[in-house]
């Protein structure tokens, strides 16, 4: 392999391919990026076998070929080179890199040692605007579980039905649901691993392009310009979440998002992780009273607002309620309660496209 | 104690006082900030007994008093409060903090439990412009040792003689010397702990004010506007550094600082810490050749330049040579050599006010 390539372009695409590589891999070859000449481009591949990223950069090819190079060393070298043409010349497993007055020789591995990635036959395809896809990831993926014994909940359910696409994540303590209208007749119900979505969110640029998504048997493929991200889908049944999002409420309250978030953040300063970050809300008499206490001290926060319905005393893990509120992009939010033992349902005001549901911590009423 | 105080001012000064507190303290009271009313101000004190910081904030005092409050909790609470007046009311050891609709009660400790800090009788005083003092710290303190068995080298020597002030740090591998002219007739030779200088560098603002420095028996006092930093001085003799900065050289070379730094940084990508981060320099034939190799591979860097004097092959720990070059604020630097076994002396071009000296790693000439 012998190529000439622009330093900035190569460095940018190494960065993309690296997102497919797991820091925890035990297979040495998977620490590497597979470099291959492909038509008039250099193709870079990174994978952890669960997901893989292929990304293409323009280059001048003098001789075709392929090699696997340690992604960290290669990335560090290319990043530190000046913004000038780079000449890469591979002879057997020796990789010679020249750029202005710098010359590196590093040892690679034969591309033959690199695992074969599955050939995926795409069938159902649809498109989503970049910005909407990114916001849907941001508003849901944090609510997936880290608990590997419940594999389907480590991912986000993606469901398309009746020209609506839903993203759903839940971990047994809270649920995040984002809905979007979509111009597509396909019907899909799949679970995408949280890690793939987190990496996609970093790769996709914030512009008004579209991302093209294709599903295949057991796999999903994301086409983002010159980059293709493949991921296995998670197997198993997703929790039947629709039943728990009730529409009947006994208490509703509209509150300024920032004021509520700030008060919860202050109250959580005195909440302790070993005590479930407990914060108590009392909703009554035109105000929300937020309290927390630990051996360090206690805090009272008052937010004046209109209350619709009956008095409710309810307690939450401050982390779970805060994480959902933080991702809402709205000035005001609506909180709906059904007594102190049922979940609280949070929506942006006048926008049913995002729903966050959080379970309370059960406390005796005397403890309020 | 009962006071009214501005949130932003208080938060800023908590941040300053916190720099006096050590994360490694074993005395619980030293995790705290001592709050005391003093004339029409609130005085905040943080100390690790080696250094202490006193800082003053304007406030309205309704009732005099004092209390010790955990610096982390107090800092977190004040930082999260809205930018509005804060009311602090201390009753016994209970601290009540109110701000708009927030109310905190936290437990403090009696000011009587706080250690008495030494009363320091200042004698010799002098002044330095903030920016020059900060640059002198930045250019020297990194070269102090972390080795507590050589206590005097954990600090920076400050010497004033003949209207010149010198800052000197060395650790047995390299030496950093910054000189400044000073309008002062005092004569001083003291060693200031590195930690105190590092914290000072964070506290002193980048403006054209002066810092007022006073020495006393075993102590030094820095007056920076509304903040006073005290530090113990280090005892013991400082290494007699003047002898090792030789003026005779066999080889001199002038090089662009950025080009040289970039090449060294690239070469050090393949240098390994367990092998002393070894980089080899060959200075001859109008060029500097920089090489490094490890089991990962090898690198050659060439910098074209004028060489004055004889050929030299010399090896360095890349970390030690790089750290000195990074802090030099000049376009070109001059490197002086006296063979491959003697230190390399680096100055900014046409500026003898900064000198960096780095010892070579001894290699057989065959190894070049």
């Amino acid at each position: 392999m012998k190529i000439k390539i622009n330093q900035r372009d190569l460095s940018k695409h190494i960065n993309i391919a690296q997102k497919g590589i797991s820091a925890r891999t035990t297979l040495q070859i998977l620490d590497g990026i597979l470099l291959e000449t492909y038509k008039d481009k250099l193709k870079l591949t990174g994978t952890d076998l669960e997901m893989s990223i292929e990304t293409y950069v323009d280059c001048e090819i003098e001789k075709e070929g392929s090699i696997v190079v340690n992604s960290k060393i290669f990335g560090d070298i290319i990043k530190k080179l000046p913004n000038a043409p780079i000449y890469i010349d591979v002879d057997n497993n020796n990789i010679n890199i020249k750029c202005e007055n710098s010359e590196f020789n590093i040892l690679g591995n034969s591309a033959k040692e690199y695992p074969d990635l599955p050939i995926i036959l795409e069938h159902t395809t649809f498109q989503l605007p970049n910005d909407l896809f990114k916001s849907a990831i941001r508003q849901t993926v944090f609510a997936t579980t880290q608990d590997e014994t419940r594999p389907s909940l480590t991912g986000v359910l993606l469901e398309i039905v009746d020209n609506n696409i839903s993203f759903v994540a839940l971990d047994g303590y809270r649920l995040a649901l984002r809905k979007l209208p979509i111009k597509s007749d396909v019907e899909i119900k799949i679970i995408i691993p949280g890690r793939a979505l987190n990496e996609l969110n970093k790769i996709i640029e914030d512009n008004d392009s579209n991302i093209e998504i294709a599903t295949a048997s057991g796999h999903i493929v994301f086409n983002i310009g010159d980059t293709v991200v493949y991921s296995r889908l998670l197997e198993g049944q997703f929790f039947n979440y629709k039943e728990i999002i009730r529409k009947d409420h006994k208490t509703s309250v509209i509150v300024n998002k920032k004021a509520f978030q700030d008060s919860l953040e202050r109250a959580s300063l005195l909440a302790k992780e070993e005590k479930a970050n407990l914060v108590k809300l009392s909703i009554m008499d035109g105000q929300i009273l937020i309290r927390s206490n630990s051996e360090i001290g206690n805090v009272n926060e008052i937010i004046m607002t209109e209350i619709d319905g009956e008095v409710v005393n309810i307690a939450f893990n401050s982390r779970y309620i805060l994480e959902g509120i933080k991702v809402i992009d709205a000035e005001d939010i609506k909180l709906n309660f059904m007594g102190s033992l049922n979940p609280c349902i949070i929506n942006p005001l006048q926008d049913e496209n995002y729903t966050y549901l959080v379970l309370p911590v059960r406390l005796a009423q005397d403890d309020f």
Side-chain angles (χ1 to χ4, degrees), chain A residues 21-27 31 148 195:
Chain A
I21 295 170
S22 164
R24 293 180 300 170
T25 183
T26 48
L27 266 172
D31 278 334
E148 300 284 344
R195 160 154 148 78

Side-chain angles (χ1 to χ4, degrees), chain A residues 153-169:
Chain A
L153 298 188
T154 64
V156 174
L157 176 75
L158 186 153
E159 194 171 14
I160 305 182
V161 64
D162 297 340
N163 292 306
N164 264 295
I165 183 167
S166 304
F167 294 80
V168 192

Side-chain angles (χ1 to χ4, degrees), chain A residues 41-231:
Chain A
K41 292 187 189 277
L42 180 70
K43 173 179 166 187
L44 296 87
T45 305
T47 187
D48 66 355
L49 300 180
E50 293 298 313
M51 71 178 287
S52 58
I53 298 176
E54 295 175 359
T55 186
Y56 296 81
V57 208
D58 285 328
C59 71
E60 286 176 32
I61 297 173
E62 197 173 308
K63 200 173 140 206
E64 308 270 336
S66 59
I67 189 80
V68 180
V69 57
N70 180 286
S71 81
K72 183 166 173 1
I73 299 281
F74 188 57
D76 287 350
I77 290 171
I78 303 302
K79 192 167 65 185
K80 286 272 183 193
L81 286 172
N83 183 18
I86 295 176
Y87 299 84
I88 299 177
D89 188 354
V90 177
D91 185 18
N92 286 317
N93 288 345
N94 182 59
I95 306 166
N96 177 271
I97 303 165
K98 278 189 193 145
C99 180
E100 291 191 340
N101 293 318
S102 304
E103 179 174 1
F104 284 83
N105 288 292
I106 54 174
L107 217 58
N109 287 96
S110 164
K112 289 176 197 141
E113 293 175 39
Y114 201 77
D116 287 327
L117 299 178
I119 293 163
I120 291 162
L121 301 170
E122 307 180 1
H123 51 87
T124 313
T125 65
F126 58 96
Q127 290 198 340
L128 274 179
N130 279 2
D131 56 346
L132 287 182
F133 185 56
K134 279 174 73 93
S135 81
I137 294 174
R138 187 176 66 89
Q139 291 186 317
T140 54
V141 74
F142 71 90
T144 57
T145 186
Q146 304 301 313
D147 178 2
E148 300 284 344
T149 64
R150 306 173 74 186
S152 69
L153 298 188
T154 64
V156 174
L157 176 75
L158 186 153
E159 194 171 14
I160 305 182
V161 64
D162 297 340
N163 292 306
N164 264 295
I165 183 167
S166 304
F167 294 80
V168 192
L170 63 92
D171 66 358
Y173 303 102
R174 51 4 194 329
L175 172 153
L177 162 63
R178 172 68 189 262
K179 284 188 188 165
L180 294 165
I182 185 172
K183 285 181 199 135
S184 169
D185 295 327
V186 303
E187 293 221 348
I188 285 175
K189 192 173 180 180
I190 53 176
I191 309 170
I192 309 168
R195 160 154 148 78
L197 293 173
N198 276 323
E199 301 302 343
L200 273 165
N201 199 20
K202 294 177 204 158
I203 294 168
I204 300 169
E205 289 179 22
D206 252 326
N207 57 29
D208 51 7
S209 307
N210 282 325
I211 173 165
E212 209 170 275
I213 303 173
T215 60
S217 168
H219 285 85
I220 189 162
V221 184
F222 302 89
N223 271 286
I224 318 149
D226 42 23
T227 299
V228 189
V229 176
Y230 301 85
S231 173

